[in-house]
Amino acid sequence: MTPLHHERNIRLKRYLITVEVAGFVLLGCYAAVASYLAATIPPDALLLYEVTEERAREGILIHLDEEMFRNLPVLDTFLRGEGHHAGEEPYTSGHIRLVGSMEYPEKIRQETIDVYIFDNETGGRKYFEYEGRYYRVGTVYQD
């Protein structure tokens, strides 16, 4: 092997290593930015699911009355609004059924999640009982 050929091989190896390192750095940056955006951009819409009584008893059960509907206007809209149609029979099969969705007037913040989805003290999921049926609230991102 001539010294010139050996020198070219070394330069080629260094170049390939540099390209590989740059590729891994770019891939890592892409993954970091994507996970950061997913963790910090709040959801856009609330969903209401009907669940079985057994499922609701696994979390924190809140009975809805007039005072609770004043404090939880989204549930009032979902459950007593114009577009709500309760089926004849309470939901019994499977685990969850989508009842409705609503675009939230602003980006959903942690306070909204604390009010409708999780209990701050126990970390348990909130379930709501209204007229013998059980519901839970979820969130979704919209494009």
Side-chain angles (χ1 to χ4, degrees), residues 21-66:
V21 169
F24 283 123
V25 168
L26 287 174
L27 183 63
C29 290
Y30 175 75
V33 167
S35 61
Y36 173 76
L37 290 175
T40 59
I41 295 176
D44 299 307
L46 291 176
L47 306 171
L48 185 69
Y49 296 97
E50 187 174 350
V51 299
T52 61
E53 181 179 1
E54 296 78 29
R55 180 77 163 218
R57 300 236 180 256
E58 294 173 2
I60 297 162
L61 189 57
I62 299 167
H63 298 283
L64 297 174
D65 56 15
E66 288 304 317

Side-chain angles (χ1 to χ4, degrees), residues 116-133:
Y116 290 102
I117 301 175
F118 292 107
D119 181 59
N120 276 342
E121 294 176 14
T122 64
R125 177 172 277 286
K126 290 182 179 181
Y127 292 91
F128 302 94
E129 185 272 328
Y130 178 64
E131 295 182 344
R133 295 177 183 227

